[in-house]
């Protein structure tokens, strides 16, 4: 979902109220007529056709918006797409909050994922019973965008950097949500966000360049499994552009995605995305043209203008009048929508197969237990010491750190029905109290000009901050939480509430930082004279429309703080009332164990619309860990966040280290289960943990092949590799052998504790025409083993699973050759291996005498992929003079004499045909004239010299601004 622009900021609460109000259980018929569309014995298609035939054109058009109105004459109630259900039902009230998606994925457990999906689907049905005004069972989950870059602000929402793992887990979660019967849906999950969406910076205007291999082998590969398994009922388009074309009008919605299944899919746009086509993307001059293009590309439902469907229906009607759409286009989209509504049981007696599920399932005891299991199973043991697991007989324990005794929720979390913090979970496990300290400084801010301290209000609603007293009384004290990158939050000691901006004042009235703009963020800027300026750093200050000053100072005679220019800002002395590190050290001294819980605040350390600027811990958190470890060598560190972290030297310094996502209501109990050995840790990392930000290229670089991204291509040494995770026991692998349908390997628990191993199967193609992954996950299996027990693990893989995309012929190909097959505990910890002699194909030399699409290059420099036309096709565009494309291993035969290309560009230019390298022998040059637009292509030709012959690499060197769609060399 997209955040509101400034003009929408006051409507967000209204939208959420509408979300909570809409939905239904069993619609009441307007009369007793038994229409065929209400007959559950008829096939879905016949029911859809019957209902479609009864709708007027205006009624059909009304169904194309997210908020579909009731049609009383047919007894049809309202319907809405888009109940959030990423890791529990969100925004509808208290519901079971499971671990964040990246935490669920860290279980590597499809069976558990299906159980969680089923529980979430049940709770969505339970809420449905409380929403009499309409149906709200189209769920916007799961997110299957690959976690290509750990700096992505929405990393918490995805599963993995690997398409095989992501596909398996999203399919399992989707099957739980749907109930496993595509004709009778418990809920209708929608995969987010199609396609190649992995950056928040300028997300509506940046283009993700996907060369065909990356698109086919990587990004599409994550979406296809759940759709092909009928575990999802559609996709949501992403905000970004793909190869220069907004994803909202991506023709692959129809041309590719719908080919993966025989079921009708209900494809939706992201919020406000249709309007983006006009501004800021400036792709179409009017909403009518943009909506028409989206509908023709494969969008069925428009998420725009919140609950106001008027602009959308007006635009569709206008498009019909202008001939941009036909009624058949409307009928196609409405049929897709109605297919899902029929399968959801909306028109069945009693609400269909799942109509009896009621609100008793919400936060049920079974779901609480499942949340605890998922949180424990997703915890990853990064480093272990002899002290782990801890002993419950050693009950003198301290649990310290900024996340020791609190739970934070994220943007897509449900409302916690209760919260078990790490400190509470450990205390419950020990049946004894634990010492606690947040380890944060308590400060008072004194205006050096007036001598007065900043004070906050008492009571739940707090009060505007003022400079009122000459003593650092409790009302003038604030706990300063450091979240890194200079950002702090200020929690008032007067009432335990966080200070935030409310568009007028700064008030201590927030339970935790949150909201779309997260207005509880500040910076304390140290000045040369030792004083500090208090700077407001709410997310809206990064918006282009923000023009207010950002520094704080008194704005009236009462000393009320407001926004002032930097030269008018108050200079504050920062009095440390209580040193957080000293307080934590005092808490841990002499204790049997010190548990330090550090990490992120989900609304601050990257989130939708905001990427991370770095992946390190906050400096004060690092200092806290070191001080606690010095004070108590028996220290266990828990990193609780949503992304890989560059831990620096802490990884070597501390004796024991665990990672967990923000894991929901049962976080504390789950961590205690793992720490004290009731659960043997079995979580595995789903992303590469890098040692430094320097290991990563630009977040806007989507070409994982060329830039050596993810474990598949990364050639450095990671901090922790993909698939990594330790156990309290040990495992031995036997001989890896081929069997029918795959491979098998015996795995033995060689330790003294029962535990789960996640056996991972990787392949590597030794020789290929193309650059191949260093390793590629092909299968995985969890296996539970008692001490001394051996089980044979079967890992399914077929020869077709070795295919990669052949750009010379635009097809999947399995090349003949030797493939390494490796089984292990992570991508870097291979325990058994063998080879597979594959009899497949040999990719022939390129034949450029056939029309070749320019996008099917083998290598490139200074090239962007661009839209050939607004409707379809991909071309290449030169971003600088000397940009080049490589077409490797080309057979020119006895000699090619002519180069022909289709080009466009608003300036004159050249294309040089060179042999062997970008600066190799020049075989010919074609001169291009300016065309009327970037979409106005012309055909140009040039004669080639006699050197253009034999088998060689052909390079095309382009002038800046030139576009090329196709070419031939004959």
């Amino acid at each position: 979902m997209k955040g509101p622009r400034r003009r929408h900021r006051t409507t967000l609460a209204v939208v959420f109220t509408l979300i909570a109000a809409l939905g239904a259980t069993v619609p009441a018929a307007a009369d007793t007529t038994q229409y065929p569309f209400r007959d559950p014995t008829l096939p879905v298609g016949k029911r859809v056709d019957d209902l479609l035939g009864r709708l007027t054109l205006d009624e059909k058009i009304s169904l194309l918006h997210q908020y579909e109105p009731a049609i009383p004459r047919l007894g049809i109630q309202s319907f809405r797409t888009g109940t959030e259900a990423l890791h529990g039902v969100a925004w509808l009230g208290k519901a079971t909050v499971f671990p964040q998606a990246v935490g669920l994925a860290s279980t590597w457990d499809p069976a558990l994922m299906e159980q969680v999906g089923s529980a979430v689907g049940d709770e969505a049905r339970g809420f449905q019973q409380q929403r009499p005004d309409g149906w709200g069972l189209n769920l916007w989950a799961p997110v299957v965008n690959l976690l290509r870059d750990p700096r992505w602000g929405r990393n918490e929402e995805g599963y993995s950097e690997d398409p095989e793992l992501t596909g398996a887990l999203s399919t399992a979660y989707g099957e739980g949500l749907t109930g496993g019967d595509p004709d009778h849906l418990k809920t209708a999950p929608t995969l987010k966000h199609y396609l190649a969406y992995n950056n928040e910076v300028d997300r509506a205007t940046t283009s993700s360049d996907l060369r065909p291999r990356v698109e086919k082998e990587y990004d599409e590969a994550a979406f296809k499994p759940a759709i092909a398994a009928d575990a999802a009922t559609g996709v949501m388009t992403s905000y970004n552009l793909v190869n220069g074309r907004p994803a909202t009008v991506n023709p692959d919605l129809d041309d590719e995605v719908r080919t993966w299944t025989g079921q009708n899919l209900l494809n939706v746009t992201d919020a406000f995305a249709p309007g983006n086509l006009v501004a800021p993307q400036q792709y179409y001059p009017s909403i009518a043209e943009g909506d028409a293009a989206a509908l023709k590309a494969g969008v069925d439902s428009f998420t725009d203008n919140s609950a106001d469907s008027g602009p959308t229906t007006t635009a569709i009607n206008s498009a019909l009048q202008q001939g941009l759409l036909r009624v058949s286009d409307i009928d196609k989209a409405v049929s897709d929508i109605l297919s899902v509504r029929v399968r959801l049981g909306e028109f069945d007696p009693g609400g269909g197969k799942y109509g009896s599920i009621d609100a008793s399932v919400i936060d049920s005891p079974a779901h609480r237990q499942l949340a605890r299991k998922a949180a424990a199973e997703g915890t990853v043991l990064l480093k272990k010491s002899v002290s782990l697991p801890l002993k419950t007989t050693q009950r003198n324990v301290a649990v310290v750190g900024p996340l020791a005794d609190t739970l934070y929720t994220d943007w897509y979390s449900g409302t916690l029905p209760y919260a078990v913090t790490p400190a509470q979970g450990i205390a419950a496990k020990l049946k004894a109290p634990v010492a606690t300290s947040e380890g944060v400084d308590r400060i008072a801010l004194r205006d050096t000009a007036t001598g007065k301290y900043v004070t906050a209000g008492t009571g739940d609603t707090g009060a505007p901050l003022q400079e009122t007293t000459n003593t650092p009384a409790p009302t003038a004290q604030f706990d300063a939480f450091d979240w890194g990158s200079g950002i702090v939050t200020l929690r008032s000691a007067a009432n335990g509430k966080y200070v935030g901006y409310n568009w007028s004042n700064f008030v201590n009235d927030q339970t935790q930082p949150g909201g779309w703009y997260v207005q509880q963020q500040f910076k304390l800027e140290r000045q040369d004279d030792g004083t500090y300026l208090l700077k407001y750093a709410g997310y809206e200050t990064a918006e282009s429309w923000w023009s207010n000053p950002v520094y704080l100072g008194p704005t009236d005679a009462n000393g009320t703080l407001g926004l002032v220019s930097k030269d008018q800002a108050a200079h504050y002395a920062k009095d440390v009332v209580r040193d957080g590190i000293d307080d934590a050290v005092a808490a841990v001294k002499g204790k049997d164990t010190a548990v330090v819980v550090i990490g992120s605040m989900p609304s601050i350390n990257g989130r939708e619309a905001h990427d991370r600027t770095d992946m390190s811990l906050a400096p004060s958190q690092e200092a806290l860990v070191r001080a606690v470890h010095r004070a108590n060598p028996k220290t266990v560190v828990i990193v609780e966040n949503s992304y890989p972290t560059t831990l620096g030297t802490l990884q070597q310094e501390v004796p024991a280290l665990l990672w967990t996502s923000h894991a929901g209501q049962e976080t504390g109990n789950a961590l205690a289960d793992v720490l004290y050995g009731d659960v043997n840790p079995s979580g595995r990392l789903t992303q590469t943990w890098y040692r430094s930000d320097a290991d990563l290229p630009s977040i806007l670089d989507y070409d994982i092949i060329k830039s050596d991204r993810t474990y598949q291509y990364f050639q450095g040494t990671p901090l922790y590799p993909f698939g990594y995770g330790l156990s309290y026991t040990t495992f031995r692998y036997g001989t890896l052998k081929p069997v029918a349908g795959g491979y098998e390997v015996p795995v033995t628990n060689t330790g003294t504790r029962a535990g789960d191993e996640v056996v991972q199967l990787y392949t590597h193609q030794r020789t290929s025409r193309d650059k191949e992954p260093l390793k590629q996950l092909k299968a995985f299996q969890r296996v539970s083993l008692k001490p001394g027990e051996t089980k044979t693990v079967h890992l399914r893989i077929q020869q077709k699973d070795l295919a990669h995309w052949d750009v010379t012929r635009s097809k999947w190909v399995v090349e003949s050759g030797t493939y390494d097959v490796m089984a292990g505990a992570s991508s870097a910890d291979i325990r058994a291996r063998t080879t597979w002699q594959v009899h497949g194909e040999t990719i022939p030399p390129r034949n450029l005498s056939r029309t070749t699409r320019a996008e099917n290059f083998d290598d490139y420099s200074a090239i962007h992929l661009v839209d050939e036309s607004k409707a379809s096709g991909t071309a290449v565009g030169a971003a600088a003079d000397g940009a080049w494309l490589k077409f490797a291993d080309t057979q020119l035969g006895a000699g090619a004499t002519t180069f022909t290309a289709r080009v466009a560009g608003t300036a004159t230019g050249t294309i040089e045909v060179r042999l062997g390298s970008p600066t190799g022998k020049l075989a010919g040059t074609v001169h291009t004239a300016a065309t009327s637009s970037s979409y106005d292509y012309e055909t140009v030709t040039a004669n080639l010299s006699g050197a253009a012959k034999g088998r060689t690499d052909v390079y095309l060197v382009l002038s800046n601004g030139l576009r090329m769609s196709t070419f031939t060399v004959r």
Side-chain angles (χ1 to χ4, degrees):
M1 178 177 176
K2 180 183 179 179
R5 301 184 182 96
R6 187 185 187 196
R7 64 177 180 273
H8 297 304
R9 66 177 185 243
T10 58
T11 67
L12 196 57
V14 176
V15 173
F16 289 170
T17 301
L18 288 168
I19 287 173
L22 291 172
T25 44
V26 184
D31 53 44
T32 59
T33 303
Q34 186 61 33
Y35 296 124
F37 75 83
R38 293 195 179 278
D39 184 353
T41 66
L42 293 177
V44 172
K46 287 188 176 296
R47 298 175 71 183
V48 169
D49 289 344
D50 175 70
L51 179 50
L52 184 69
R54 298 180 187 279
L55 297 174
T56 67
L57 180 58
D58 284 343
E59 288 169 340
K60 293 174 186 176
I61 292 172
S62 75
L63 301 182
L64 299 178
H65 188 263
Q66 178 187 19
Y67 288 83
E68 302 174 27
I71 303 175
R73 69 182 185 84
L74 296 175
I76 296 173
Q77 291 189 287
S78 61
F79 182 91
R80 177 184 53 80
T81 65
T83 294
E84 301 292 351
L86 185 60
H87 53 110
V89 180
W91 304 356
L92 295 181
K94 292 181 179 180
T96 307
V97 178
F98 293 94
Q100 291 176 309
V102 71
L104 289 173
S106 299
T107 67
W108 288 60
D109 190 343
L112 178 65
M113 292 291 289
E114 184 171 353
Q115 292 175 44
V116 172
S118 182
V120 175
D122 285 348
E123 295 202 11
R125 280 280 175 174
F127 278 109
Q128 181 68 37
Q129 294 284 8
Q130 301 174 347
R131 293 176 283 177
D133 295 330
W135 283 62
L137 293 171
N138 172 244
L139 307 186
W140 286 354
V143 171
V144 299
N145 295 110
L146 293 164
L147 305 184
R148 168 193 63 91
D149 194 309
R151 296 167 298 189
W152 186 32
R154 303 183 75 168
N155 198 86
E156 67 203 32
E157 298 180 36
Y159 288 147
S160 167
E161 69 181 34
D162 181 77
E164 173 70 26
L165 180 59
T166 296
L169 297 179
S170 59
T171 298
Y173 190 69
E175 285 176 341
L177 292 174
T178 64
D181 179 352
D183 288 334
H184 299 87
L185 298 170
K186 182 190 296 185
T187 65
T190 302
L191 303 183
K192 296 161 62 171
H193 312 78
Y194 194 85
L195 186 69
Y197 170 36
N198 254 154
N199 63 276
E200 299 303 295
V201 175
D202 299 326
R203 60 180 177 168
T205 55
T206 55
S207 180
S208 305
D209 280 11
L210 296 186
R211 58 196 287 192
R213 280 195 64 196
V214 175
E215 182 168 5
K216 296 295 182 183
E217 297 173 24
Y218 194 64
D219 287 279
E220 282 183 7
F223 280 83
K224 185 175 180 178
I227 296 291
D230 292 326
T233 58
V235 300
M236 172 189 284
T237 60
S238 53
Y239 287 121
N240 55 287
L241 292 78
V242 177
N243 296 343
R245 181 181 296 107
T248 308
V249 291
N250 187 342
D252 284 354
L253 294 170
D254 271 351
D255 298 345
E256 185 70 27
V257 177
R258 292 192 196 276
T259 67
W260 299 338
T261 177
Q263 293 283 352
N264 285 49
L265 297 178
L266 167 53
N267 294 330
V268 307
T269 73
D270 210 334
F272 301 101
N276 287 347
L277 291 168
V278 177
Q281 291 167 343
Q282 298 182 4
Y283 206 69
Y284 289 101
S286 69
I287 294 295
E289 289 168 274
D291 283 5
L295 202 72
K296 292 173 78 70
V299 164
D300 302 306
S301 178
F302 293 83
T303 314
D304 209 4
N305 300 293
S306 300
D308 182 6
S309 63
T312 296
T313 57
T314 298
I316 296 297
N317 274 304
S318 176
L320 282 169
Q321 293 166 8
Q322 296 177 56
L324 301 173
L325 288 173
R326 296 173 297 180
V327 173
S328 60
D329 297 318
I330 309 297
D331 287 349
K332 172 184 173 295
V334 173
S335 293
D336 293 332
I337 294 167
L338 294 179
S339 173
V340 168
R341 293 181 66 169
V342 166
R343 287 183 279 156
L344 282 169
E346 178 182 352
F347 310 124
D348 291 358
K353 180 178 179 178
Y354 300 102
S356 62
I357 298 174
D358 61 26
S360 65
V361 301
I362 299 172
D363 189 37
S364 66
H367 291 179
R368 292 183 174 191
Q369 190 61 35
L370 183 61
R372 182 170 181 167
K373 175 181 170 73
E377 201 171 296
T379 300
V380 181
L381 179 59
L382 297 175
K383 184 178 182 181
K384 64 180 176 179
S385 68
V386 293
S387 64
L388 288 177
L390 303 175
K391 298 177 176 61
T392 55
T393 54
Q394 297 178 330
R395 304 170 72 193
N396 190 15
V397 173
V399 186
V400 301
L403 283 83
D405 205 20
T406 190
L407 295 186
Y408 289 119
T409 55
D410 61 51
W411 179 248
Y412 287 105
S413 288
T415 303
L416 292 170
Y418 61 89
V420 182
T421 69
Q424 291 170 337
I426 291 171
K429 182 70 66 178
L430 296 174
K431 297 182 173 60
V434 298
T436 61
S437 168
E438 290 177 311
V440 300
D441 290 344
R442 178 163 287 186
I443 64 172
L445 297 173
R446 177 174 52 85
D447 190 328
T448 57
T450 65
K452 292 188 179 295
Y453 285 90
V454 176
T455 59
T458 58
D460 285 345
T461 58
L465 298 192
Q466 293 179 287
E467 295 181 2
T468 62
T469 180
N470 293 103
T471 61
T475 55
Q477 297 174 15
F478 301 89
D479 297 322
F481 290 80
D482 174 18
W483 299 112
S485 300
I487 297 294
V488 298
T489 53
L490 300 174
R491 188 182 63 196
S492 171
N495 65 353
K497 296 293 185 72
Y498 287 87
V499 176
Y501 183 54
N502 64 6
W503 304 102
S504 298
N505 297 114
F506 293 92
V507 182
N508 58 317
D509 61 352
Q510 299 297 303
T511 302
Q512 74 168 54
W516 181 256
Y517 290 117
V518 191
Q519 296 176 306
Q520 298 80 35
Q521 300 181 82
F522 298 89
K523 291 185 177 183
L524 283 166
E525 294 186 350
R526 184 178 174 85
Q527 305 301 295
D528 291 340
D529 61 0
T531 63
Y532 291 85
L533 301 185
L534 185 57
K535 183 178 182 180
Y536 175 54
Y539 276 158
E540 73 270 31
T541 62
E543 297 285 347
S544 59
W545 47 260
W546 179 267
S547 59
N548 295 329
V550 291
Y551 288 91
L552 274 67
T555 56
D556 61 24
N558 296 324
T560 302
L561 295 191
L563 293 172
V564 298
S565 61
K566 186 174 183 178
D567 61 341
Q568 295 179 317
H571 284 245
Y572 291 108
K574 185 177 73 172
D575 297 346
V576 178
V577 179
R578 183 188 65 213
D579 185 285
I581 289 179
D582 289 349
D583 190 64
V585 165
V588 304
K589 278 185 176 178
K591 296 297 190 292
D592 295 330
T593 307
V595 179
V596 189
V597 191
I598 54 175
S600 71
M601 200 286 137
S603 289
I604 292 174
N605 295 107
R607 203 205 69 181
E608 183 172 357
H610 297 275
D611 292 316
R612 268 172 288 284
T613 56
D614 64 67
M615 299 180 291
S616 61
L617 291 171
S620 68
Q621 293 189 21
E622 286 196 42
L624 172 68
V625 171
R626 288 192 171 93
V628 168
H629 184 220
R630 285 194 299 268
N632 190 329
K634 295 172 287 187
T635 293
V636 177
V637 177
I638 297 170
V639 178
E640 183 180 338
N641 65 13
S642 318
Y643 49 90
T645 307
T646 51
L647 295 173
T649 59
L650 282 184
Q651 190 269 344
Q652 288 85 29
E653 295 172 14
V654 299
L657 185 63
L658 296 94
W659 174 85
T660 179
S661 69
H662 294 279
Q665 63 204 53
E666 287 285 342
T667 297
N669 284 332
L671 286 173
D673 288 343
V674 171
L675 287 171
Y676 288 90
D678 293 324
V679 172
N680 193 339
S682 60
R684 300 293 185 266
L685 299 178
T686 66
Q687 292 175 269
T688 301
W689 281 43
Y690 298 95
R691 293 183 180 273
S692 168
D693 296 344
D695 289 331
L696 293 167
S698 166
I699 196 172
L700 300 178
D701 183 348
Y702 279 75
D703 189 346
I704 68 163
I705 299 175
K706 188 174 179 68
S707 60
D708 294 332
R709 301 192 79 148
T710 80
Y711 81 95
Q712 291 190 23
Y713 295 96
F714 181 60
Q715 302 196 36
T717 301
L719 180 65
Y720 295 113
F722 173 81
Y724 176 87
L726 302 177
S727 170
Y728 294 152
T729 190
T730 54
F731 302 95
R732 182 181 67 240
Y733 286 56
T735 301
L736 182 64
K737 297 179 180 179
V739 294
Y743 285 81
E744 66 178 23
V745 62
V747 180
T748 303
N749 183 341
T750 53
T752 59
R753 290 178 171 270
D756 283 12
E757 173 71 324
V758 179
V759 182
Q760 303 161 40
L761 187 77
Y762 296 88
T763 63
H764 168 66
Q765 186 174 342
R766 289 189 180 180
T767 59
S768 173
R769 178 199 181 278
D770 301 308
K771 181 178 178 179
E772 289 297 320
L774 303 171
K775 289 188 184 78
Q776 194 168 14
L777 183 72
K778 293 298 182 181
F780 64 93
Q781 183 68 51
R782 287 182 67 96
V783 56
S784 299
L785 295 167
K786 299 174 183 177
E789 183 180 12
T790 298
K791 288 183 180 178
T792 298
V793 179
H794 297 270
L795 299 155
R796 295 181 59 82
I797 182 173
Q798 302 176 57
Q799 182 169 308
K800 67 180 180 65
D801 298 327
L802 301 174
H804 75 273
W805 188 254
D806 173 19
V807 294
T808 72
R809 297 172 293 172
S810 295
K811 58 175 282 191
W812 291 100
V813 61
V814 177
E815 290 182 281
S816 296
T818 301
Y819 291 71
D820 295 308
V821 183
M822 300 160 281
S826 79
S827 60
D829 185 5
I830 300 302
R831 308 286 185 86
R833 64 174 65 230
T834 187
T835 58
W836 185 357
Q837 298 299 321
V838 173
H839 301 288
E841 294 184 61
T842 298
I843 299 175
R846 278 188 182 269
N847 179 1
L848 298 184
S849 68
R850 297 183 301 221
T851 299
T852 299
R853 296 206 63 82
E855 65 179 307
N856 285 326
F857 49 75
D858 291 293
D859 198 3
Y860 62 98
S861 175
I863 288 292
H864 287 303
L865 292 166
V866 296
D867 49 339
E868 182 178 6
S869 72
K870 288 189 175 183
S872 63
T874 296
V876 299
D881 286 334
W884 54 261
L885 301 168
K886 177 184 179 181
F887 296 88
D889 191 25
T890 294
Q891 180 56 265
L892 298 177
T897 59
T898 306
F899 171 76
T900 303
R902 283 186 52 76
V903 299
T906 55
T908 60
T910 61
I911 302 174
E912 297 177 346
V913 181
R914 292 186 176 268
L915 308 177
S917 79
T919 57
K921 186 178 290 286
L922 179 63
T925 302
V926 64
H927 294 271
T928 66
T931 60
S932 59
S933 78
S934 297
Y935 303 119
D936 181 21
Y937 286 82
E938 66 174 10
T939 300
V940 294
T941 63
N943 294 326
L944 300 179
S945 71
K949 62 183 178 181
R951 193 166 174 174
T952 187
D953 297 338
V954 173
Y955 286 78
L956 303 181
V957 184
L958 284 67
S959 298
N960 185 27
L962 192 64
R963 288 185 171 207
M964 180 169 59
S965 60
T966 62
F967 71 94
T968 60
V969 179
R970 293 175 178 161

